[in-house]
Amino acid sequence: QNVDGDLISLYFVNQRQSLSVNHQDLDYFAFELWKTMIKSRNNDFSFSHELSANFLISHIQQYFPHRFPTGSDDDILLVINELIEGQYLRIMYDKELIASKNSNMGVLGNVHKYDFRYQFEMDKYREFVKRSEPFRQQWSVTTKVKIFSSHHGAWKNAVVVEEIGDILTVSFQGHHKKIVDRYQHDIITGVPPNN
């Protein structure tokens, strides 16, 4: 039995209040939140797609004051819980931190709501890229793109040399090839028309 998972579930069940958010509104909010996160250029989000609770709460307070006029952390955490239940976000947490705060294996009484980290579910993340950048669907063999080369730590000009559904093989710098999903926006991007 997964004790960590059970403890996390118990924590959120005990903290949860009912919030009647319809699915369409939740989907719209999740997409808008994701778009503002992309624009924020937060290093944690850019590299691991993870966010600390503190950062996520302050980000929502900054970008969505009309939705949360009181700016209450608890109101925002309720919506974060809805995003988790709607499978837009997942909880990421530091097992060592939680273990250090709970020497007794009982409950998460010593764990603070700000100890958690969050990450967009990968299928939702991909769907949001698809919605915000529909031009990616048009990419095919001979399309010019830019690919991020981790070896060079920079974006390189590339061309699609093979397409199998959403999986693209791109060639760059003459002899390098990389296989990517067309919706991995942090690895592959379009080339402006004048290039």
Side-chain angles (χ1 to χ4, degrees):
Q1 188 174 6
N2 182 350
V3 174
D4 290 333
D6 290 346
L7 291 174
I8 297 298
S9 297
L10 178 63
Y11 176 82
F12 279 101
V13 165
N14 288 335
Q15 299 297 319
R16 178 154 167 46
Q17 295 176 14
S18 179
L19 189 67
S20 59
V21 176
N22 73 43
H23 177 72
Q24 188 175 12
D25 185 45
L26 190 63
D27 185 73
Y28 176 78
F29 177 69
F31 183 50
E32 293 301 311
L33 176 61
W34 177 84
K35 288 192 304 189
T36 61
M37 294 306 306
I38 295 295
K39 291 178 184 173
S40 75
R41 306 254 187 242
N42 174 277
N43 284 339
D44 279 352
F45 190 69
S46 296
F47 295 114
S48 68
H49 301 182
E50 280 188 31
L51 302 160
S52 70
N54 285 330
F55 180 84
L56 184 54
I57 290 167
S58 66
H59 181 87
I60 290 171
Q61 288 168 335
Q62 178 183 353
Y63 287 90
F64 300 94
H66 58 284
R67 187 173 179 112
F68 303 96
T70 66
S72 159
D73 288 7
D74 289 334
D75 289 346
I76 292 170
L77 284 166
L78 285 174
V79 171
I80 290 172
N81 286 344
E82 291 290 332
L83 290 169
I84 292 166
E85 287 183 5
Q87 298 180 343
Y88 291 93
L89 290 179
R90 75 171 75 179
I91 301 167
M92 308 298 288
Y93 62 99
D94 183 339
K95 289 181 183 180
E96 290 177 17
L97 171 69
I98 290 175
S100 71
K101 289 190 169 198
N102 291 292
S103 55
N104 65 352
M105 289 290 286
V107 294
L108 286 174
N110 296 329
V111 176
H112 196 272
K113 58 190 167 191
Y114 300 107
D115 291 336
F116 295 103
R117 296 182 62 78
Y118 301 94
Q119 185 180 60
F120 276 90
E121 292 285 356
M122 292 314 295
D123 62 325
K124 300 295 186 185
Y125 194 101
R126 186 178 186 278
E127 177 61 31
F128 292 161
V129 173
K130 195 174 189 177
R131 272 195 232 174
S132 66
E133 299 178 359
F135 60 86
R136 290 172 175 269
Q137 186 60 41
Q138 305 304 313
W139 293 346
S140 60
V141 174
T142 73
T143 300
K144 292 180 182 178
V145 293
K146 286 196 175 278
I147 193 82
F148 188 79
S149 168
S150 51
H151 176 73
H152 294 99
W155 290 93
K156 300 292 182 184
N157 290 326
V159 64
V160 176
V161 295
E162 185 178 6
E163 173 190 19
I164 302 172
D166 288 333
I167 305 301
L168 306 175
T169 302
V170 297
S171 176
F172 60 104
Q173 293 189 315
H175 60 283
H176 294 344
K177 287 188 177 181
K178 198 171 207 174
I179 299 172
V180 296
D181 182 307
R182 72 174 71 236
Y183 298 109
Q184 287 180 278
H185 76 101
D186 50 350
I187 296 175
I188 186 169
T189 191
V191 175
N194 58 355
N195 285 355

